[in-house]
């Protein structure tokens, strides 16, 4: 892994109620050594109802894991039934917020424009966005991968100061790799991660390109994480299915550190 601090985030999606989340967090705490956690940012992104429970468990047991959210609205407050605001998350100690996951883009009408609003709001409240980008199978087949991810990252960071871009995270997640057991080769993922970094550097200036962390996501497992995160330019992973069991997730973190 690079000199950038790697970040491995567990995206639980719509799994684990708050009681299951507490058990999970304690179990992960037993299995994760301080030495391991010191080498990377480990982030748990539970569903909203479990955020408070995970936060208090992490604090009470002094578990060296950071809290993340899966989604956020861009307004601080207002008549937005069902939404959760950035200051509400910040108050809970949330450090990372996933923005623009492909499931939200495909199933819930998320657009590049709303991704940008959310990214700016997350940054404004001192949290770090994990901006998800990635091509569909059809875009890949016609050679449009780089064009697609470049457009997504430049739209996502429009109007965001270079210093905030430099400390942000992009998750490169090919849509066809999410939950399918299929992945690009590590060399392929690395090439796209580099294209993302170049696009960010050219667009945002400063040290944004050198600083931004680019994760790989999509069917990451214990058996393949090492291939991805040992590539220069891939600074960790966003993990869905393989993060749902704390024992498996702890093994995955260990495999990432061993390489
Ligand atoms: P997966 O999901 O690891 O289950 O493929 C990754 C993601 O959607 O972030």
């Amino acid at each position: 892994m690079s000199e950038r601090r790697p970040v491995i985030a567990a995206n639980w999606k719509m799994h684990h109620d708050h009681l299951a989340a507490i058990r999970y967090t304690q179990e992960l705490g037993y299995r994760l050594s301080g030495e391991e956690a010191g080498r990377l940012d480990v982030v748990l992104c539970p569903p909203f109802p479990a955020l408070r429970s995970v936060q208090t468990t992490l604090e009470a047991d002094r578990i060296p894991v950071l809290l993340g959210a899966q989604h956020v609205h861009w307004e601080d407050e207002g008549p937005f039934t069902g939404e959760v605001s950035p200051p509400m998350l910040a108050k809970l100690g949330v450090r990372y917020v996933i923005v623009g996951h492909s499931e939200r883009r495909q199933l819930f009408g998320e657009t590049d424009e709303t991704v940008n609003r959310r990214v700016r709001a997350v940054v404004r409240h001192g949290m770090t966005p994990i901006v998800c980008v990635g091509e569909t199978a059809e875009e890949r087949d016609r050679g449009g991968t780089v064009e697609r991810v470049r457009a997504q990252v430049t739209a996502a960071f429009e109007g965001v100061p270079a210093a905030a871009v430099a400390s942000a995270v992009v998750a490169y997640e090919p849509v066809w790799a999410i939950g399918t057991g299929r992945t690009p080769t590590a060399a392929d993922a690395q090439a796209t991660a580099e294209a993302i970094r170049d696009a960010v550097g050219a667009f945002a200036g400063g040290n944004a390109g050198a600083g931004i962390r680019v994760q790989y996501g999509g069917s990451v497992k214990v058996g393949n994480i090492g291939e991805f995160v040992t590539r220069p330019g891939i600074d960790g992973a966003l993990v869905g299915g393989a993060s749902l069991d704390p024992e498996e997730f702890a093994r995955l973190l260990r495999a990432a550190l061993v390489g």
Side-chain angles (χ1 to χ4, degrees), residues 11 13 101 103 173 177-180 217-221 238-242:
N11 176 13
K13 307 190 181 184
H101 190 279
E103 285 150 18
E173 300 204 303
I178 294 174
T180 60
S219 296
V220 171
K221 304 278 182 264
L238 182 57
V239 188

Side-chain angles (χ1 to χ4, degrees), residues 40-93:
L40 76 175
D41 280 0
V42 180
V43 185
L44 296 182
C45 303
F48 287 137
L51 277 174
R52 174 74 173 148
S53 310
V54 173
Q55 179 216 14
T56 53
T57 308
L58 292 175
E59 275 178 17
D61 295 3
R62 297 176 194 276
I63 299 169
V65 165
L66 303 171
L67 191 59
Q70 298 176 19
H71 182 58
V72 69
H73 195 266
W74 53 83
E75 294 288 348
D76 286 4
E77 60 181 10
F80 303 105
T81 301
E83 293 295 315
V84 171
S85 78
M88 292 172 185
L89 296 181
K91 209 51 170 268
L92 275 170

Side-chain angles (χ1 to χ4, degrees), residues 10-12 15-16 20 23-25 27-28 31 44 222 239-253:
N11 176 13
W12 292 358
H15 297 281
H16 296 330
R23 284 195 298 274
Y24 177 114
T25 305
E27 178 77 28
L28 182 64
R31 292 173 182 276
L44 296 182
V222 176
V239 188
S243 77
L244 289 179
D245 173 67
E247 196 268 325
E248 183 178 1
F249 189 54
R251 276 194 291 131
L252 185 142
L253 294 170

Side-chain angles (χ1 to χ4, degrees), residues 80-133:
F80 303 105
T81 301
E83 293 295 315
V84 171
S85 78
M88 292 172 185
L89 296 181
K91 209 51 170 268
L92 275 170
V94 166
R95 300 276 297 277
Y96 286 90
V97 184
I98 298 172
V99 179
H101 190 279
S102 76
E103 285 150 18
R104 297 223 60 94
R105 293 180 192 257
Q106 291 191 319
L107 305 173
F108 301 102
E110 184 83 271
T111 64
D112 282 348
E113 207 246 312
T114 55
V115 167
N116 176 244
R117 287 195 201 190
R118 290 182 221 281
V119 168
R120 283 188 286 162
V122 166
V123 165
R124 199 164 59 240
H125 288 278
M127 298 177 289
T128 301
I130 299 177
V131 177
C132 301
V133 302

